[in-house]
Amino acid sequence: MEGLGGRLVTPEDDEWPRELLDCLPSGSDNVGDVAPLALWVRGDRPLQQATGRGVAVIGARASTPYGTRVATEIAGELAISGHTVVAGAAYGIDAAAHRAALAVDGVTVAVMPCGLDRPYPYASGPDRLVDSRRGCHRSPSSRAPGARAGIV
């Protein structure tokens, strides 16, 4: 992980995003409502700093031209106003949001569905969004290095 500029962040670390994870409901049996035990993180900024003014811009992978245009406009304006654009790393709206923020030198966070050492999305070949996104300052994942995307 160190070779990728990554590290493991736990609830005991100063950069743990407490404010983001404290909003999860307590006592829920839904696995999606439980905070991860740790996050694998890539990037040069502390996670809490990068997510402090974060706004999620998410949507369909098979987005329409209109949806892509609107996501691009929203993400670009958010980035210009100093917000971090947070999205997955999939095609469609996620990709449009990251590209728009980076086009105006904004900060983005790509929440990964796989280990940070895995290319994603797999099918996009050498032009993978995450591999080519030099400006993405954070890439957190609850999946260990080597883990493929899939159901947890």
Side-chain angles (χ1 to χ4, degrees), residues 79-107:
I80 287 169
S81 67
H83 292 279
T84 297
V85 173
V86 181
Y91 302 110
I93 300 301
D94 291 0
H98 288 296
R99 287 187 183 110
L102 295 172
V104 296
D105 295 322
V107 177

Side-chain angles (χ1 to χ4, degrees), residues 69-129:
R69 188 183 59 180
V70 171
T72 299
E73 291 172 8
I74 290 170
E77 290 298 321
L78 286 167
I80 287 169
S81 67
H83 292 279
T84 297
V85 173
V86 181
Y91 302 110
I93 300 301
D94 291 0
H98 288 296
R99 287 187 183 110
L102 295 172
V104 296
D105 295 322
V107 177
T108 70
V109 172
V111 180
M112 300 296 290
C114 56
L116 298 181
D117 59 336
R118 306 286 304 193
Y120 188 82
Y122 303 122
S124 59
D127 295 326
R128 288 180 187 97
L129 177 64

Side-chain angles (χ1 to χ4, degrees), residues 1 4 6-9 36-42 112-119 122 139-152:
M1 229 17 240
L4 296 172
R7 64 196 172 283
L8 183 65
V9 177
L37 298 175
L39 292 170
W40 295 93
V41 180
R42 266 175 56 179
M112 300 296 290
C114 56
L116 298 181
D117 59 336
R118 306 286 304 193
Y122 303 122
S139 295
S141 176
S142 60
R143 309 286 308 267
R148 294 180 64 85
I151 298 173
V152 179

